[in-house]
Amino acid sequence: MPRKGKAAVYDAPNQPFRVREYPVRDVKSGEVLVRVTMKTICRSDIHSYQGHRPNPCPGILGHEIIGLIDQIGVDVPDDMRGEALAPGDRITWTEYFHDGPSYYKDVHDMPQKAEGVRKYGHDLAEEDPHFLGGFAEYCYLQPGTGIVKLPAELSDAEATPLNCGIATMMAVVEATEVTEGDRVVVQGLGLLGLYGCAIAKARGAAIVIGLDVVPQRLAMAKRFGADHVLDITGIPAQEQIAAVRAFCPPDGADAAIEVCGVPTAVPTGVRMLRTGGRYTIGGLVNPDANFTVDGNDLLKRWITLRGVHNYHPRHLVEALDFVMANRNRFPFADIVDAVFSLDQLDDAFRKASEREVLRAAIVP
Ligand SMILES: [Zn+2]
């Protein structure tokens, strides 16, 4: 009897998920078949599902995934730390894969921007190998995926956000050059913002100031290292800037990070910075995120403005090290606050999109 596995498939944006069965074949050379144990709904899954960004349909969404190795093909390298992989190992992996030569990968060390890079959760469900997304019982890891073995003491809830949310924020906070003694502003306290607060603090930030409009997130941010939180509901930009600057004498914050997805937050955040300050855009993932800044102000005040999208495979290794080193300092396990089954995916997406839950997990 050939094996089959279940997947929650959506036929078009905003259409209900249907659980379908697809054949589970033996692995080809370079592939790893994983039995998915947990996946979480990322904000970008919701953007795809709602049609804000193009995604092939019918499709299987989901890229924040962990699982157990079921079958391992020939020519699969060791994990990124050089540990041999074997069936039964619990692993996480880069949310994207790319095999072969690439200008960006080989010349600029940006494999996340390699030409033809593909991402898990962004492929047609109807084509072999069918299982390339998280909301399913299986996932076929493709050649060019960076794999990391997970320590046994790490819970599934702590481990699942590693390969998107945490690794992305390792890249964002690194690009922002947060260092000892910095005063850091984090605009937006969803999952990325919470990890951003914690990573900034772990890198030695003296003061972290978190801004959001959701009371539960503001409270959570305090547990993730924010020294001050500001509810900016209905607060004009000028007052937000004054409030942040009051925490950062004599002339403003050293660094600010945008992870709220609101374009107008950028000019506001830039004006919270001191001369020589650094600003990183990490949340404007959809097109037409326009804002207006005064270039003369950037010039005169030596402001660095940069964008960061996705991450280098080494950030996934660093993300795991960060969580292992800070498990007793920050409540990582509390990020996943609701668990659903595969056939409850509609409900899970609704609750996640309406921000009723912080990170919804799906367990097959
Ligand atoms: Zn994601």
Side-chain angles (χ1 to χ4, degrees):
M1 266 286 279
R3 261 206 285 183
K4 286 187 169 189
K6 288 180 181 153
V9 180
Y10 77 120
D11 287 317
N14 299 305
Q15 294 303 304
F17 289 98
R18 293 174 207 285
V19 175
R20 294 194 183 137
E21 286 196 334
Y22 294 101
V24 177
R25 59 155 173 77
D26 284 344
V27 288
K28 294 178 181 169
S29 167
E31 282 184 339
V32 177
L33 177 62
V34 172
R35 184 181 282 274
V36 173
T37 50
M38 186 181 271
K39 52 262 180 181
T40 36
I41 300 177
C42 172
R43 182 63 41 191
S44 70
D45 289 320
I46 295 167
H47 290 158
S48 298
Y49 180 66
Q50 294 177 338
H52 300 310
R53 52 193 259 171
N55 216 42
C57 288
I60 303 169
L61 292 167
H63 51 276
E64 281 189 359
I65 324 166
I66 60 165
L68 304 171
I69 295 180
D70 181 281
Q71 236 185 40
I72 188 158
V74 292
D75 294 331
V76 170
D78 294 340
D79 90 342
M80 288 197 282
R81 281 227 156 90
E83 282 195 59
L85 296 169
D89 285 346
R90 194 168 65 126
I91 57 170
T92 182
W93 56 92
T94 53
E95 61 186 357
Y96 60 86
F97 55 94
H98 182 276
D99 205 23
S102 149
Y103 167 68
Y104 276 108
K105 189 164 83 177
D106 303 334
V107 179
H108 295 293
D109 193 26
M110 297 181 83
Q112 68 273 50
K113 290 291 159 187
E115 309 82 340
V117 70
R118 288 165 67 193
K119 293 180 180 178
Y120 293 97
H122 293 274
D123 265 283
L124 273 178
E126 302 302 321
E127 291 174 0
D128 178 83
H130 306 289
F131 297 97
L132 284 173
F135 302 120
E137 288 180 314
Y138 295 94
C139 188
Y140 283 90
L141 308 196
Q142 298 300 301
T145 303
I147 299 172
V148 191
K149 233 157 119 164
L150 292 166
E153 60 264 45
L154 201 65
S155 70
D156 282 2
E158 289 170 297
T160 308
L162 276 169
N163 79 329
C164 181
I166 311 181
T168 298
M169 287 315 288
M170 294 308 291
V172 166
V173 181
E174 177 192 270
T176 316
E177 297 172 40
V178 171
T179 187
E180 209 68 41
D182 272 347
R183 284 83 54 85
V184 181
V185 181
V186 179
Q187 294 173 288
L189 300 170
L191 181 105
L192 293 184
L194 294 176
Y195 288 126
C197 292
I199 295 166
K201 213 65 192 169
R203 285 175 71 108
I207 299 175
V208 172
I209 304 159
L211 279 55
D212 204 289
V213 294
V214 182
Q216 301 90 307
R217 291 178 168 198
L218 294 163
M220 194 68 147
K222 296 214 107 175
R223 301 174 63 205
F224 275 81
D227 300 282
H228 307 288
V229 292
L230 293 174
D231 185 345
I232 57 166
T233 311
I235 308 289
Q238 204 52 50
E239 286 177 36
Q240 293 180 38
I241 295 162
V244 166
R245 284 179 163 272
F247 290 125
C248 307
D251 193 34
D254 301 285
I257 291 168
E258 176 280 317
V259 275
C260 57
V262 180
T264 53
V266 178
T268 304
V270 163
R271 284 154 69 205
M272 293 169 178
L273 296 174
R274 65 164 170 84
T275 293
R278 294 97 58 192
Y279 191 94
T280 302
I281 297 170
L284 300 183
V285 291
N286 291 322
D288 298 317
N290 301 300
F291 55 81
T292 303
V293 288
D294 181 351
N296 181 250
D297 179 52
L298 300 184
L299 177 150
K300 283 202 292 196
R301 296 199 299 122
W302 285 71
I303 300 295
T304 301
L305 181 60
R306 69 191 305 172
V308 172
H309 187 219
N310 300 146
Y311 58 88
H312 191 283
R314 72 182 160 80
H315 292 118
L316 178 57
V317 177
E318 290 172 13
L320 176 59
D321 288 345
F322 161 73
V323 169
M324 291 307 291
N326 291 282
R327 292 177 71 211
N328 300 323
R329 186 174 178 188
F330 306 116
F332 296 116
D334 294 357
I335 289 261
V336 170
D337 54 351
V339 178
F340 301 85
S341 63
L342 212 49
D343 50 17
Q344 295 173 318
L345 201 53
D346 287 313
D347 192 30
F349 261 71
R350 187 186 55 74
K351 290 198 165 104
S353 70
E354 288 168 7
R355 295 186 161 84
E356 267 181 55
V357 296
L358 187 60
R359 213 56 156 189
I362 316 298
V363 174

